[in-house]
Amino acid sequence: MTDADILDLIDAYGADTAAYPEKRRQTAQKRIAEAPEVFASALAAARRIDTDLAALPIITPDKSFIDAIVETAPFTVPAETQRPWWKVIFGQGARLPAAGALASLGLGLVLGLNAPTGGSSIDETTTDETVFAATFGGADYTYWEEFQE
Amino acid sequence: MSNASDLDQIRKAAAGDRWAINGLVGRYSPGILALATRMLGDKTEAEDVTQETFIRAWKALPDWEPRAKFSTWLHRVALNLCYDRLRKRREKTVDEFPERVDPALRPDEQFEQGERLEALETAILNLPERQSAALILCAIEGHSQDEAASIMEISVSALESLLARARRTLRQTYLEAVQ
């Protein structure tokens, strides 16, 4: 790499050698360190331009402009129905509560089907009288007699 | 190639997901607007170019194939729209349209910081359009050499040549004027 090549690099990329293409960076850095006087003037001018370029104001769009661009997009669904409430609440994890609900339902069914049935006192031998007694009080047959009438 | 996050957002945006569209606009509109503003030197025109760029993006999204980075593609569209507008300006007479070039660099006057930067903006606008595009993309907007070359559809060595010519011109015009 000649000194003219390095001056070309300074012209193209400025004074910051870190911005030079990787393949030529190290050679350029070494040569600049060896003979700083050769490149001093070019580097000084480049540094001034670099500094001023970096100081240029950042251009940012305001929110109303961004909103206006968004409005140009062809939405397939109206905005207010885009995100269902469960997605707003659970985000991407909406599948978890749904799976939880299904698991609860399944567990309920299993427990219900396997529950012992002996707890019920009503069977084929149960008489109307027994049921009545269990409901209104076994000791008092007055009600039973009234009911039969 | 587009990254995974881009691709996911592009797919959702193409399906009409407002949040994905918001995300794409929020992420890329500042760079597009800055490029157009510095290329054209006119805020209203730059906003028109930015809007048109995204309108073209919405049309392209359903058939989007991730061969290139989405941001590179967007910047390329914006840059070509800028070139179109600059060409149309040249075709019109000076009386009909304001000049892109403002020759008002004043070597005999002292430049305050604000004036210096204004003079620099003007000097960049005065550059040939491909030189100013190269300088804006690399030196101001911080794109890598590969990215900038890809946006401009040129080789990295051609980009380097444009950058060198742009900076030499700035050294001769801008620096001499403000010193």
Side-chain angles (χ1 to χ4, degrees):
Chain A
M1 184 182 281
T2 65
D3 287 355
D5 293 334
I6 294 171
L7 288 169
D8 283 344
L9 280 177
I10 296 170
D11 276 345
Y13 300 110
D16 180 11
T17 56
Y20 298 177
E22 210 177 327
K23 285 179 184 169
R24 288 173 283 168
R25 189 184 306 151
Q26 228 176 353
T27 314
Q29 285 170 334
K30 192 177 165 204
R31 178 63 189 146
I32 290 170
E34 281 169 1
E37 70 285 352
V38 175
F39 308 102
S41 156
L43 284 171
R47 199 165 290 118
R48 289 199 61 191
I49 291 175
D50 289 346
T51 304
D52 287 353
L53 285 172
L56 286 173
I58 295 167
I59 296 168
T60 49
D62 54 39
K63 191 181 175 306
S64 62
F65 179 61
I66 289 180
D67 289 345
I69 295 175
V70 171
E71 290 309 317
T72 64
F75 298 122
T76 52
V77 186
E80 61 273 16
T81 61
Q82 283 274 308
R83 276 171 86 84
W85 64 267
W86 62 84
K87 281 202 173 179
V88 173
I89 295 171
F90 297 110
Q92 294 302 311
R95 289 187 194 96
L96 286 176
L102 273 177
S104 302
L105 185 64
L107 187 65
L109 280 171
V110 169
L111 289 177
L113 289 172
N114 291 317
T117 53
S120 170
S121 59
I122 302 174
D123 55 28
E124 289 167 4
T125 61
T126 306
T127 61
D128 289 346
E129 188 178 349
T130 316
V131 172
F132 194 92
T135 310
F136 296 105
D140 192 347
Y141 282 84
T142 315
Y143 296 124
W144 170 242
E145 285 157 9
E146 285 173 6
F147 178 74
Q148 279 186 315
E149 288 168 7
Chain B
M1 293 282 283
S2 294
N3 61 38
S5 155
D6 254 3
L7 279 179
D8 186 44
Q9 215 162 24
I10 288 166
R11 282 195 200 104
K12 286 179 179 170
D17 183 327
R18 191 184 180 94
W19 298 93
I21 288 168
N22 256 316
L24 289 176
V25 175
R27 195 187 313 174
Y28 295 118
S29 64
I32 301 295
L33 182 67
L35 172 66
T37 304
R38 295 216 150 93
M39 284 298 294
L40 300 168
D42 182 294
K43 191 187 171 204
T44 308
E45 274 202 282
E47 288 183 347
D48 287 348
V49 163
T50 306
Q51 200 156 31
E52 177 63 26
T53 300
F54 278 95
I55 288 171
R56 291 190 184 199
W58 309 146
K59 286 179 188 160
L61 284 189
D63 304 315
W64 178 259
E65 287 181 28
R67 281 193 293 260
K69 269 175 78 176
F70 184 65
S71 88
T72 303
W73 181 86
L74 268 185
H75 281 81
R76 189 181 299 154
V77 170
L79 190 58
N80 286 331
L81 288 170
C82 289
Y83 288 155
D84 286 347
R85 282 176 181 253
L86 293 171
R87 194 183 58 245
K88 279 177 191 159
R89 280 189 200 178
R90 283 196 298 271
E91 287 166 5
K92 298 201 177 206
T93 63
V94 175
D95 292 338
E96 282 178 314
F97 214 93
E99 282 183 282
R100 176 174 185 255
V101 175
D102 177 0
L105 282 183
R106 302 158 295 170
D108 54 332
E109 291 181 26
Q110 288 292 314
F111 281 78
E112 298 297 327
Q113 171 74 357
E115 286 177 315
R116 283 176 65 91
L117 297 182
E118 215 171 289
L120 180 57
E121 299 264 24
T122 304
I124 293 168
L125 276 172
N126 282 336
L127 293 169
E129 60 195 35
R130 279 156 50 85
Q131 290 180 28
S132 59
L135 191 75
I136 292 164
L137 289 169
C138 284
I140 302 176
E141 294 303 317
H143 290 272
S144 70
Q145 291 134 24
D146 286 342
E147 253 176 358
S150 181
I151 289 168
M152 295 182 71
E153 297 180 281
I154 57 176
S155 66
V156 172
S157 64
L159 175 83
E160 193 169 301
S161 167
L162 287 170
L163 283 171
R165 280 186 276 157
R167 279 180 177 266
R168 276 185 212 123
T169 308
L170 286 186
R171 202 166 59 207
Q172 285 158 9
T173 56
Y174 166 69
L175 274 192
E176 284 176 16
V178 297
Q179 267 169 354

